[in-house]
């Protein structure tokens, strides 16, 4: 296995007791796809005999970024709906009129596998250019057995064909398709059956639902979660985005990996998430793009010690963002996170939100997924916006 050494680096390991897990003049050794050693340059193990040695001349090294909430696979766009919203229509009104998610479902069903793959691949590459090495991709724009499985298969194919880890999430309970109008409970029955088939084909890593007035009730969400539990699949939830349905407490009861959005989260929900170790996934792109005014309860989450993650929530309706760096800036400016909290949100806490303990930090034994940056200090990654200082992305060690 190739042993490779990067030296003369500033390193934010996001691990240990120092702020940022900081190492001022550091080095990192990777063996194959794992980190063999990381520390101060003067402490490089004497017996290490790397085949390759790179002088980074002071560049910043961080864990590869993790975008742990995306809806990357879909057809069409919703730019016309954006114009309608600018003229006064609300996101909920557009959804109730049959636009919104339903219009993306129609465009997704009409697209061929290759078109879906090509557009999702372009989006994934845009994220990767900013140092992203792991992404989560949800289904939820197919809403039939065939089309949900197709979208999950496209997501899996992205993970197989790109130098990128892809985690898939089944989100059939995203919206009610028109074939099931007035029969939401029948739809949930069907979605639970599809889940077993998707799981049998190895297409699903986790299960999500949209628990809200324009989504599904908490009783319907519970049925989806029971189906997931029966298959041994972890759950997460679009919770408390537009209203408080007490979804976070419900998800916590099922040991959810994360609850996402959370603008309307209450004290009970926070306590339940804390008790279950559920990550609070904040999505500043959707908050911004829907011009929300109710902030998620950041101070309370912080005080309770609930880990906070940040993601793009990339989707055509509420967050057409393809920059995790911009989300860092928004998490600070809109949500008042510190740059270090925001960065933990796209590394160590994002890994927790995906149930992955082999990445998100730089430590021996973990994956050598790295981002190299032309900045002096990681707080600059949250400070600037509209620029991309990523010099290089390393996925799973050498080259
Ligand atoms: O995460 N809240 C539900 N789902 C997406 C938006 C979906 C859409 O509008 O297409 C979200 O914001
Ligand atoms: Fe989402």
């Amino acid at each position: 296995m190739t042993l490779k050494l990067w030296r003369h680096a500033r390193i934010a390991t996001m691990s240990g007791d120092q702020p940022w897990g900081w190492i001022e003049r550091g080095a990192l050794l990777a063996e194959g796809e794992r980190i063999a050693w990381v520390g101060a340059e003067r402490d490089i193990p004497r017996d290490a005999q790397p085949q390759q040695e790179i002088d980074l001349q002071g560049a910043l090294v961080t864990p590869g970024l993790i975008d742990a909430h995306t809806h990357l696979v879909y057809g069409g766009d919703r730019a016309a709906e954006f114009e309608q919203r600018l003229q006064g229509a609300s996101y909920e009104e557009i959804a109730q009129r049959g636009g919104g998610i339903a219009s993306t479902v129609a465009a997704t069903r009409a697209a061929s596998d290759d078109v879906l793959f090509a557009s999702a691949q372009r989006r994934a590459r845009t994220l990767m250019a900013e140092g992203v090495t792991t992404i989560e991709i949800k289904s939820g724009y197919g809403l039939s057995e065939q089309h949900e499985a197709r979208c999950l298969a496209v997501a899996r194919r992205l993970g197989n064909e790109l130098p990128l880890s892809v985690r898939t999430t089944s989100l059939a309970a995203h919206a009610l398709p028109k074939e099931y109008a007035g029969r939401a409970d029948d739809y949930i029955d069907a979605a639970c059956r599809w889940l077993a088939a998707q799981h049998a084909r190895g297409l699903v890593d986790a299960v999500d639902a949209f628990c809200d007035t324009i989504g599904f009730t908490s009783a319907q969400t519970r049925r989806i979660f029971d189906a997931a539990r029966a298959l041994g699949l972890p759950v997460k939830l679009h919770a408390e985005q537009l209203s408080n349905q007490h979804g976070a407490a419900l998800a916590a009861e099922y040991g959810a990996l994360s609850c996402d959005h959370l603008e309307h989260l209450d004290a009970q929900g926070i306590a339940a998430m804390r008790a279950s170790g559920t990550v609070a996934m904040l999505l500043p792109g959707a908050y911004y793009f829907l011009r929300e005014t109710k902030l998620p309860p950041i101070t309370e989450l912080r005080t309770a010690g609930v880990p906070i993650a940040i993601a793009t929530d990339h989707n055509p309706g509420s967050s057409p963002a393809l920059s995790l760096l911009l989300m860092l800036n928004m998490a600070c400016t809109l949500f008042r996170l510190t740059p270090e909290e925001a960065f933990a949100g796209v590394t160590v806490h994002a890994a927790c939100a995906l149930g992955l303990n082999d990445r998100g930090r730089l430590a021996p034994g973990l994956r050598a997924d790295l981002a190299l940056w032309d900045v002096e200090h990681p707080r600059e990654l949250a400070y600037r916006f509209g620029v991309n200082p990523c010099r290089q992305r390393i996925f799973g060690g050498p080259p």
Side-chain angles (χ1 to χ4, degrees):
M1 249 189 292
T2 313
L3 193 61
K4 181 164 176 170
L5 172 70
W6 289 270
R7 34 179 292 275
H8 193 181
R10 294 187 166 86
I11 307 182
T13 65
M14 304 312 285
S15 185
D17 300 330
Q18 290 296 318
W20 302 88
W22 189 247
I23 304 171
E24 177 60 31
R25 179 151 184 149
L28 186 143
L29 265 169
E31 183 164 30
E33 63 174 28
R34 300 276 155 180
I35 297 170
W37 179 88
V38 57
E41 194 167 333
R42 61 175 180 276
D43 298 331
I44 294 172
R46 290 193 196 292
D47 54 351
Q49 294 192 331
Q51 285 94 330
Q52 286 183 62
E53 195 170 317
I54 310 272
D55 182 342
L56 288 175
Q57 298 177 325
L60 172 70
V61 177
T62 70
L65 307 191
I66 300 173
D67 192 352
H69 180 142
T70 85
H71 307 246
L72 213 72
V73 177
Y74 59 86
D77 67 67
R78 305 242 288 279
E81 182 181 299
F82 175 51
E83 288 180 326
Q84 289 168 30
R85 284 201 294 110
L86 290 172
Q87 281 156 13
S90 76
Y91 181 71
E92 287 97 324
E93 280 159 12
I94 292 171
Q96 276 147 9
R97 276 190 232 140
I101 295 175
S103 73
T104 300
V105 170
T108 303
R109 289 179 180 179
S112 68
D113 290 6
D114 285 342
V115 165
L116 282 181
F117 179 79
S119 61
Q121 175 170 240
R122 273 196 302 278
R123 295 174 196 128
R125 286 195 189 279
T126 305
L127 291 169
M128 289 160 66
E130 287 188 346
V132 170
T133 48
T134 297
I135 63 174
E136 183 251 21
I137 300 179
K138 301 174 193 298
S139 66
Y141 292 120
L143 307 190
S144 71
E145 178 162 25
Q146 175 203 347
H147 290 287
E148 282 293 297
R150 203 162 74 94
C151 292
L152 290 168
V154 166
R156 273 279 183 263
R157 186 176 152 204
L158 274 181
N160 293 335
E161 295 192 14
L162 292 180
L164 176 72
S165 292
V166 172
R167 303 293 289 177
T168 58
T169 299
S170 177
L171 176 57
H174 193 198
L176 191 63
K178 60 179 185 326
E179 315 80 270
Y180 281 88
R183 294 189 297 130
D185 283 316
D186 292 347
Y187 179 67
I188 293 295
D189 284 341
C192 292
R193 283 197 305 275
W194 304 341
L195 189 60
Q198 292 163 0
H199 178 58
R201 287 176 58 193
L203 292 175
V204 198
D205 298 319
V207 178
D208 194 351
F210 182 27
C211 182
D212 220 308
T213 47
I214 60 167
F216 293 91
T217 64
S218 50
Q220 289 158 349
T221 301
R222 185 179 283 284
R223 285 167 55 212
I224 292 282
F225 283 178
D226 284 333
R229 182 181 267 174
L231 296 168
L233 289 168
V235 302
K236 55 182 75 179
L237 189 65
H238 280 72
E240 274 69 285
Q241 179 185 10
L242 306 167
S243 62
N244 183 2
Q245 304 290 321
H246 308 287
L250 169 66
E253 210 183 298
Y254 287 79
L257 291 173
S258 68
C259 290
D260 305 41
H261 289 286
L262 300 176
E263 280 80 348
H264 294 262
L265 179 66
D266 62 17
Q268 267 182 317
I270 295 174
M273 287 173 67
R274 185 212 157 109
S276 61
T278 300
V279 174
M281 176 73 71
L282 304 184
L283 304 168
Y287 174 88
Y288 161 81
F289 197 62
L290 297 183
R291 305 185 71 226
E292 298 291 354
T293 49
K294 188 162 171 45
L295 284 163
I298 313 288
T299 309
E300 291 82 350
L301 285 166
R302 189 188 275 134
T303 308
V306 174
I308 295 175
I310 303 293
T312 60
D313 188 18
H314 175 83
N315 74 76
S318 70
S319 186
L322 280 172
S323 168
L324 202 49
L325 291 180
L326 178 59
M327 299 304 112
L328 284 182
N329 179 270
M330 285 188 178
C332 298
T333 52
L334 300 175
F335 293 168
R336 313 310 281 169
L337 261 58
T338 67
E340 187 184 357
E341 285 174 326
F343 199 71
V346 298
T347 51
V348 52
H349 293 157
C352 295
L354 296 179
L356 299 172
N357 55 17
D358 65 346
R359 68 196 70 191
R361 296 174 292 126
L362 302 180
L366 304 193
R367 280 185 61 81
D369 289 346
L370 315 175
L372 276 44
W373 309 92
D374 287 319
V375 299
E376 291 205 349
H377 194 279
R379 62 179 158 240
E380 293 171 53
L381 301 175
Y383 158 67
R384 292 191 189 86
F385 58 100
V387 289
N388 179 13
C390 185
R391 181 194 290 190
Q392 202 188 338
R393 202 187 71 105
I394 312 281
F395 178 70

